[in-house]
Amino acid sequence: MKILVLPGDGIGPEITEATLAVLDRANSKYKLGLEWQTEEIGVAALKKQGSTLPEAVMEAARGAPGIILGPVDHLQYPSREQGGINPSGEFRVKLDLFANIRPAKSRMCVGLTGKPVDLVIFRECTEGFYADRNMFMGRGEFMPTEDMAIAVRKVTARQCRRISQVAFEWARKRRKKVTAVHKANVFHISDGLFLREVRAVAKEYPDVELDEKIVDAMAALLVRDPSKFDCIVTGNMFGDILSDEASEISGGLGLAGSVMAGDDACCAQAQHGSAPDIQGQDKANPTSLILSAGMLLEWLAARHKRREFSQAARSIEDAIDAALQSADTRTRDLGGTLGTKAFGKHVAERV
Ligand code: NAD
């Protein structure tokens, strides 16, 4: 099975190298039969090929059973017409990777609020306010006059239903609670539609409790007591913001794994960005991408009925948890001394 590896921008190449060290070890120990096809995207590809997502890479992504995508610095990208394509948004729409699944877990016993965090955010990621993906043609953001800008928000019943189904399926295997986060007090129609679909899906899961929270209150409640939450389902922008908050209170952005998944494909992607402020300094924490790769293995295990993939994923997570128990084997963002490379090597040896 050939996995497409796209290191991306900023700290991307460093954390990808550390992740591959861990995956290589899991691959040989559990005889997974994985191969890597590494391709250039982002600023490096723009310089050489005129596009941050060359068509050949997009074609490889269409045929790949799984993708590992490093963070991309799309804030720096030029317009689409000048070759600036956000690979993340493009994959979500073109490969139908609608479910961005973002766990937040305090792996060092307690989170920053002194309370344990163990929750998963299910973020619909192909529509909402995201201008690069919410139109069939053109962008959902425009400027009728030089002093006025308008952004369009897209919400469809189908995508609300699909993301809710993923959240309820996960909740069944976890603590059987789904919290739907919305702003229906203001967005009566669009978030009203979201709530209508979540409630309809909830009826198919009578064993799972449905809770509803307005997004601004949710931001406070997450800090007040994250242990009250298990599975959180929401739209694109609320999910993007709340997942950074949740991962930060669980211990730090560098700890947060994530996948974007559809029915037929899955892409491992760290929750954080390309962190240009620490690029090339061997300071980045690769945990987020390593855990994301573990989530990809779990997805492949379910999809291809390969138990050894699941065993490998669990072993990677255990190795990360063990490394994080001591400050001596943590990266600097978590008060440790290890660099990106050394941390990857340490985790790989414990898989
Ligand atoms: P960021 O997530 O890159 O960084 C925020 C802060 O967290 C920085 O101080 C950074 O040093 C730190 N940080 C992030 N990841 C870390 C890690 N693994 N280890 C240690 N510290 C880490 O957010 P930003 O600076 O706002 O964005 C930079 C670029 O990334 C922008 O172009 C943005 O659009 C892009 N971005 C990409 C993705 C993605 O590819 N999935 C996600 C978010 C942002």
Side-chain angles (χ1 to χ4, degrees):
M1 200 183 282
K2 203 179 260 180
I3 301 294
L4 182 63
V5 179
L6 308 170
D9 299 311
I11 58 170
E14 298 163 67
I15 62 173
T16 303
E17 189 188 331
T19 300
L20 287 183
V22 174
L23 283 176
D24 276 336
R25 169 84 180 127
N27 197 18
S28 62
K29 181 163 178 191
Y30 293 95
K31 302 188 173 33
L32 305 180
L34 291 175
E35 290 171 45
W36 322 121
Q37 177 186 347
T38 303
E39 301 289 350
E40 218 162 51
I41 55 163
V43 175
L46 182 71
K47 280 190 193 139
K48 289 188 204 152
Q49 303 183 55
S51 170
T52 54
L53 181 59
E55 189 41 46
V57 178
M58 189 64 216
E59 210 37 54
R62 282 195 186 96
I67 304 170
I68 294 174
L69 175 62
V72 290
D73 195 357
H74 50 90
L75 188 63
Q76 306 303 328
Y77 289 3
S79 69
R80 196 177 179 97
E81 294 67 40
Q82 293 169 309
I85 302 172
N86 174 5
S88 189
E90 196 76 357
F91 286 170
R92 286 167 184 173
V93 174
K94 300 264 171 72
L95 307 179
D96 190 28
L97 306 178
F98 67 95
N100 193 194
I101 305 173
R102 296 184 151 187
K105 187 171 176 189
S106 37
R107 297 181 179 276
M108 296 173 291
C109 301
V110 290
L112 295 187
T113 63
K115 293 186 175 142
V117 184
D118 184 8
L119 55 85
V120 186
I121 294 182
F122 298 85
R123 162 196 178 204
E124 199 296 323
C125 62
T126 60
E127 41 188 45
F129 265 124
Y130 287 60
D132 61 340
R133 65 201 80 158
N134 63 6
M135 291 279 143
F136 171 66
M137 201 182 275
R139 288 175 61 87
E141 194 183 32
F142 41 91
M143 250 175 135
T145 73
E146 66 175 329
D147 297 321
M148 185 204 301
I150 295 177
V152 175
R153 177 169 182 248
K154 172 181 165 193
V155 180
T156 65
R158 177 170 187 261
Q159 295 303 71
C160 295
R161 212 160 40 239
R162 292 175 89 198
I163 193 69
S164 301
Q165 278 158 349
V166 177
F168 275 89
E169 282 297 325
W170 272 63
R172 243 183 197 161
K173 294 185 201 128
R174 291 176 48 94
R175 301 197 303 277
K176 297 189 168 49
K177 180 175 172 185
V178 170
T179 302
V181 177
H182 64 91
K183 186 79 184 170
N185 51 332
V186 175
F187 292 103
H188 295 276
I189 299 174
S190 47
D191 271 356
L193 178 64
F194 166 73
L195 280 182
R196 184 188 84 187
E197 293 306 316
V198 179
R199 288 171 190 161
V201 170
K203 287 205 174 78
E204 296 161 22
Y205 296 82
D207 50 322
V208 178
E209 178 196 347
L210 173 63
D211 171 36
E212 295 174 8
K213 292 278 180 280
I214 295 174
V215 64
D216 31 336
M218 185 67 187
L221 293 171
L222 262 182
V223 175
R224 190 180 298 168
D225 190 358
S227 67
K228 291 229 159 52
F229 302 101
D230 179 26
C231 292
I232 296 168
V233 64
T234 190
N236 205 346
M237 191 172 282
F238 299 159
D240 203 0
I241 297 167
L242 289 177
S243 55
D244 265 29
E245 183 190 346
S247 55
E248 194 62 29
I249 59 173
S250 77
L253 258 187
L255 289 176
S258 135
V259 288
M260 38 197 203
D263 297 332
D264 302 317
C266 183
C267 173
Q269 184 192 39
Q271 272 187 45
H272 56 75
S274 58
D277 52 333
I278 55 168
Q279 169 183 359
Q281 299 168 36
D282 196 39
K283 275 187 186 164
N285 184 351
T287 299
S288 176
L289 193 59
I290 296 172
L291 288 172
S292 306
M295 290 175 73
L296 170 63
L297 293 183
E298 279 290 9
W299 187 90
L300 290 169
R303 170 95 180 142
H304 300 282
K305 307 214 169 3
R306 299 269 304 269
R307 226 161 54 90
E308 67 275 27
F309 277 72
S310 193
Q311 288 166 337
R314 274 201 299 276
S315 150
I316 289 174
E317 194 170 346
D318 289 347
I320 288 278
D321 280 337
L324 295 178
Q325 293 323 302
S326 160
D328 293 342
T329 49
R330 289 182 201 148
T331 44
R332 278 167 247 173
D333 54 317
L334 301 175
T337 52
L338 293 188
T340 313
K341 214 179 196 145
F343 182 82
K345 186 167 176 282
H346 177 83
V347 173
E349 282 162 2
R350 271 145 196 85
V351 164

